[in-house]
Amino acid sequence: MGHSAAVWDPRAAIEITKDLNGIDQIVLRNPQGASARVSLHGAQITSWRNENGEELLFTSSKAIFKAPKAMRGGIPICFPQFENCGSLELHGFARNKIWTIDDNPPPLPANDSSRKSFVDLLLKPSEEDMKAWPHSFEFRLRVCLSVNGDLTLISRVRNINGKPFNFSFAYHTHLLVSDISEVRIEGLETLDYLDNLFQKERFTEQGDALTFESEVSPLGCLCICTWHLLMRISRKVLEDVASKVDRVYLSSPNVIAVLDHERKRTFVIRKEGLPDVAVWNPWDKKAKSMADFGDEEYKHMLCVDGAVIERPVNLRPGEEWRGRLQLSVVPSSFCSENLGLEKTGL
């Protein structure tokens, strides 16, 4: 199960159970009572709970728990394509495949396993995958739950092909929040972003922090030249997109904070090898059009994804790429200076 006597905390626990469809899922626990659950269907994190048993990830009440599609919520893996930026299905095929448990993975640095319960999962392309995306690879994912409840995901993609290939990637992280209007994101100030609601037009974030109110509109961030472009868009289109947010922030810092004022807690997102951050909330009209999303659930969900999107990874034969995401929860009394948002490292 990816542990040894040298690094294994005997008080922690790993359990393999089955979901309603008979697919294996692994439950990680720590001594304080925190837990994480990962399914072999897509290597998707379906639950992350703190020591009080409180769920920290959003899952829709209308989520469809049935292969071959990923369920709406948790942390799906987007690979080898993010969104529809390519010829593959939306977000690629990794999230819709059955992964295996890797009992003998290549070693990682000691600080990525010491005093943590963890499991290693493995995905290799099937013949069907090779027809759609003709590249041989090994994708290893380590899921770690630390003694303080932090959740860490470490992805390693190795090219075992005879030629180089490119891919984009994201940890599509659905955070559970009290009310979207009570949330702010710090760490994205002054960054350029691509707005998917405006044909990936490039804007610059002007606010002190990214907030979500009754209407979340990119119009406040427009430069003059872009304003003239948007004046050619119909009023109805502008109204439809005004309250959604679907952006990719570029060349972002390695520490991002998501403050939930009502619950007085902050999600701290630390990342390596993931230069971009995708932020998404569908708002009311889009939510009502989604079969696997409750009409009012947009109020309690925010996706903040560590990702590689603008400049896809180019992997030569024999090379390995690594992307690391660490999620922590701290009281919101920790301000951004305490969280080290100005730093580039972890």
Side-chain angles (χ1 to χ4, degrees), residues 41-46 58 70-79 91 94-96 153 169-174 303 305:
H41 177 207
Q44 182 169 353
I45 309 298
T46 59
F58 168 87
M71 76 165 195
R72 178 73 65 181
I75 310 178
I77 301 294
C78 301
F79 172 87
H91 290 318
R95 65 183 187 144
N96 299 326
L153 307 179
F169 174 90
Y171 293 111
H172 195 23
T173 307
H174 296 68
C303 282
D305 308 348

Side-chain angles (χ1 to χ4, degrees), residues 159-326:
N159 183 351
I160 57 175
N161 207 37
K163 58 183 179 180
F165 60 75
N166 297 331
F167 65 88
S168 54
F169 174 90
Y171 293 111
H172 195 23
T173 307
H174 296 68
L175 299 176
L176 181 62
V177 299
S178 59
D179 189 312
I180 190 65
S181 65
E182 296 292 329
V183 171
R184 61 187 280 142
I185 302 178
E186 295 186 357
L188 303 178
E189 305 83 46
T190 74
L191 297 185
D192 285 357
Y193 66 88
L194 306 178
D195 198 315
N196 290 328
L197 303 180
F198 289 89
Q199 293 78 49
K200 296 181 172 59
E201 183 78 15
R202 193 180 187 113
F203 303 107
T204 299
E205 182 59 59
Q206 302 292 337
D208 294 334
L210 184 60
T211 58
F212 309 86
E213 299 177 0
S214 58
E215 289 190 352
V216 180
S217 172
L219 300 184
C221 307
L222 299 184
C223 60
I224 295 299
C225 61
T226 307
W227 171 260
H228 290 298
L229 169 66
L230 292 181
M231 286 301 95
R232 297 198 298 268
I233 302 175
S234 71
R235 180 178 180 84
K236 182 179 186 303
V237 171
L238 290 175
E239 290 174 348
D240 285 345
V241 302
S243 50
K244 305 174 188 175
V245 60
D246 189 354
R247 304 173 184 172
V248 176
Y249 287 83
L250 309 174
S251 302
S252 64
N254 280 348
V255 185
I256 305 294
V258 181
L259 287 73
D260 188 335
H261 295 299
E262 185 172 315
R263 288 189 175 149
K264 296 181 173 60
R265 72 184 182 195
T266 296
F267 291 97
V268 183
I269 301 172
R270 295 179 171 89
K271 56 191 181 68
E272 284 182 341
L274 304 165
D276 304 321
V277 171
V279 179
W280 177 68
N281 182 286
W283 222 254
D284 54 347
K285 290 184 180 180
K286 176 68 174 179
K288 291 175 182 178
S289 71
M290 300 162 65
D292 59 349
F293 200 99
D295 290 355
E296 301 295 317
E297 288 183 332
Y298 73 93
K299 298 177 181 178
H300 308 295
M301 186 280 295
L302 178 62
C303 282
V304 183
D305 308 348
V308 183
I309 299 171
E310 183 189 28
R311 296 183 178 89
V313 176
N314 179 265
L315 210 57
R316 292 179 294 186
E319 286 186 336
E320 181 178 274
W321 168 84
R322 179 181 170 192
R324 184 178 188 271
L325 182 78
Q326 179 182 324

Side-chain angles (χ1 to χ4, degrees), residues 95-107:
R95 65 183 187 144
N96 299 326
K97 301 298 180 180
I98 299 298
W99 294 51
T100 59
I101 296 174
D102 189 357
D103 288 313
N104 190 29

